Amino acid sequence: MPLTLYAHPFSSYCQKVLIALYETATPFTYRLLGSDDPDTAAEWAGLWPLKKMPVLVDGERTVLESSSIIEYLDQRHAGPQKLIPADADAAIEVRTMDRIFDNYVMTPMQKIVLDHLRPEADRDAYGVRQAHDMLDSVYGWLDGKLAGRAWAGGDTFSLADCAAAPALFYADWVHEIAPRLEVLKAYRARLLARPSVARCVDEARPYRKNFPPGAPDRD
């Protein structure tokens, strides 16, 4: 039975898992979540009542959360390229960078984006300023951390890069990476040139009009 992924192509966390699936050429059934398919939405809600994306189903097993899904794929449906290094120290580095991108790039980016969906009277200007400050700080840290590395965890594309690609893609839209951060800007460009990432960007392109702050005319 093929894997089934409940996801939407414009979602950053869904892109994270899709990149892993495309990198490893893993067959799966794509259940697109959208307002025009209530049956798929009902299945998804039945699997995960919090209705967070993505959700992976493998036979009788349901796997939640993007990092856990990629770990599961790497263990149970490994392709020719492993996304978690076999070496324990290298694996810790990859998992750490994965958490950095999720917690300190993706999370403040989403804070800024979601604030645009709030009624004007309920917007959180202080929280948004904090999110911008966090992105400034993590961008500077990443620019130093990635110096001399081809990919986030070292020389090999990994789980950490699956997290980095959508995080930096959207974060740069709401808080542009400064030109002086040449290492980070070059890394983002390498990610966007990666076929698995480029495929996700192209699949999400029709939905750009829905980006709450307004998508820039680039990428």
Side-chain angles (χ1 to χ4, degrees), residues 123-140:
R123 290 191 175 172
D124 180 12
Y126 179 74
V128 168
R129 286 197 301 272
Q130 285 185 312
H132 282 288
D133 289 344
M134 181 175 288
L135 287 172
D136 267 336
S137 296
V138 76
Y139 284 173

Side-chain angles (χ1 to χ4, degrees), residues 131-204:
H132 282 288
D133 289 344
M134 181 175 288
L135 287 172
D136 267 336
S137 296
V138 76
Y139 284 173
W141 184 85
L142 286 167
D143 193 67
K145 182 71 170 178
L146 296 171
R149 294 187 179 188
W151 301 108
D155 294 331
T156 305
F157 193 93
S158 70
L159 162 68
D161 302 291
C162 296
L168 289 172
F169 179 73
Y170 288 121
D172 189 59
W173 281 10
V174 299
H175 189 92
E176 192 167 356
I177 300 167
R180 62 182 174 79
L181 301 176
E182 296 179 359
V183 171
L184 184 57
K185 287 184 75 70
Y187 172 62
R188 183 179 184 272
R190 283 197 302 281
L191 286 170
L192 293 182
R194 186 87 174 184
S196 60
V197 178
R199 180 176 175 179
C200 284
V201 170
D202 284 341
E203 289 175 347

Side-chain angles (χ1 to χ4, degrees), residues 6-8 11 13-14 33 44 48 51-55 65-66:
Y6 293 81
H8 190 281
S11 159
Y13 281 112
C14 293
L33 294 166
W44 169 51
W48 185 215
K51 294 192 283 188
K52 298 293 185 180
M53 297 182 280
V55 170
E65 296 296 313
S66 59

